Amino acid sequence: MSDFSVCWVRGDGGTFTADGGLMGLTAAEGLNEPALEVFSQKAALGDGDLITGSRVGSRELTFTCKARRSAYNDLLVRALPSFFIASQSYDVQIHRGGDCRVATGCRLSALEIPTENPAKPVTVKLSFLMPEGYFLSEDGFGQNIAGIRGRCGYPYAALGTCGRLYGLYAYAQTVYLENDGDAEAYCKAVLYARGTVVNPRIQTGGGYVRLLATLAAGDTLVIDGKTKSMEKNGVNAAALLDKASNFSSLAFATGTNTIGYTADVGANVLDVYVYYNKRFLGA
């Protein structure tokens, strides 16, 4: 399949690729077959039904691969059952046309390596349960929206009488982020304190999430919009959450979204890294 390859990344970091090297991909099923579910109930009066909800469920991904040469048969027959095992999870990376979309946390559901004519390249079929329902973008943004970009090196002899620009903020305190995926994207913010920070807050166009506590230099705060959780130095900090906080605001709608940060004291000594993966129905 031209300009199309698959890489399986195992939970322990191991990788296996169908890219035309040892084996190539001959067929893929389930990539563009989302499990769409719509729920309804009978209308008490009149005709028709009432729609009560909808969701995207898990789906099955199946890949058929073929060895490039029959000389690779013995190697693949031994390597594949050792790499693809039931006890591990796999991130399935779909590379197509220079773009990569990832099915995360997949589990092996079937492995078929038929015994055929040893003179012919072996054909293998792999199936995975994809629990997420959506493919994620490979790029998770991961930028420090509080970072300062240097503009001048040292030592520097300031001989002129005019002002000099020694550094500037890479982003403003409020940043516009684009979500051109097929569904809302969940945001995670990781805050690193380089000094004393009082009551740090992440805010979006739909609300904010705020910690009612003081961060000391070296402290880390993780605010996760998907799990609706907040951790300070790896410990659950739900008890320190501002009661008006709204984790739903950390789900970016499709289109343009805003996110920013502030604090009662010490916003200038915060590093704020923002992560989000766009979600797609197909790959």
Side-chain angles (χ1 to χ4, degrees):
M1 301 179 73
S2 179
D3 200 23
F4 182 72
S5 64
V6 180
C7 179
W8 295 273
V9 182
R10 202 164 66 176
D12 60 3
T15 61
F16 204 101
T17 305
D19 60 357
L22 282 177
M23 66 179 188
L25 192 68
T26 61
E29 303 171 33
L31 299 185
N32 294 292
E33 301 171 24
L36 305 177
E37 302 175 16
V38 179
F39 306 101
S40 64
Q41 66 181 29
K42 301 296 182 183
L45 299 173
D47 300 326
D49 293 347
L50 302 176
I51 302 299
T52 58
S54 62
R55 67 186 293 270
V56 178
S58 62
R59 70 176 101 169
E60 194 86 2
L61 303 179
T62 301
F63 304 94
T64 304
C65 306
K66 187 175 183 179
R68 283 292 302 275
R69 299 180 178 86
S70 59
Y72 298 152
N73 285 359
D74 289 343
L75 173 63
L76 290 171
V77 166
R78 287 173 172 79
L80 287 167
S82 296
F83 182 81
F84 294 104
I85 55 179
S87 60
Q88 287 280 358
S89 64
Y90 297 83
D91 288 350
V92 183
Q93 300 178 350
I94 310 298
H95 298 268
R96 190 201 300 265
D99 185 31
C100 177
R101 296 181 182 179
V102 185
T104 61
C106 296
R107 289 283 184 166
L108 181 71
S109 57
L111 171 62
E112 300 177 27
I113 310 177
T115 302
E116 298 176 335
N117 185 343
K120 294 183 178 180
V122 67
T123 297
V124 177
K125 182 175 284 189
L126 298 157
S127 296
F128 297 85
L129 176 66
M130 174 183 167
E132 168 69 22
Y134 285 93
F135 290 92
L136 304 182
S137 63
E138 183 182 35
D139 178 21
F141 188 64
Q143 299 294 315
N144 179 11
I145 65 173
I148 296 178
R149 182 180 297 137
R151 294 296 297 272
C152 182
Y154 290 87
Y156 174 75
L159 303 178
T161 57
C162 298
R164 293 291 187 270
L165 183 62
Y166 293 97
L168 53 80
Y169 283 98
Y171 300 91
Q173 277 189 298
T174 299
V175 181
Y176 294 89
L177 299 178
E178 193 70 25
N179 176 17
D180 57 4
D182 300 329
E184 63 185 9
Y186 299 108
C187 169
K188 176 189 285 188
V190 182
L191 287 68
Y192 299 97
R194 292 180 282 107
T196 300
V197 181
V198 179
N199 300 340
R201 179 171 73 175
I202 291 293
Q203 54 196 25
T204 69
Y208 67 87
V209 177
R210 184 188 189 202
L211 176 76
L212 295 178
T214 298
L215 300 179
D219 283 349
T220 301
L221 181 68
V222 178
I223 301 173
D224 194 327
K226 183 175 182 179
T227 61
K228 295 180 172 56
S229 64
M230 181 165 58
E231 292 184 351
K232 178 184 176 185
N233 297 330
V235 178
N236 190 320
L240 304 175
L241 189 66
D242 184 333
K243 301 306 180 185
S245 295
N246 178 16
F247 279 100
S248 298
S249 67
L250 296 182
F252 292 160
T254 54
T256 302
N257 298 264
T258 61
I259 185 168
Y261 68 95
T262 187
D264 292 352
V265 175
N268 61 317
V269 291
L270 270 178
D271 287 328
V272 182
Y273 288 84
V274 173
Y275 302 86
Y276 74 105
N277 294 90
K278 301 168 187 178
R279 300 197 297 163
F280 301 92
L281 284 172

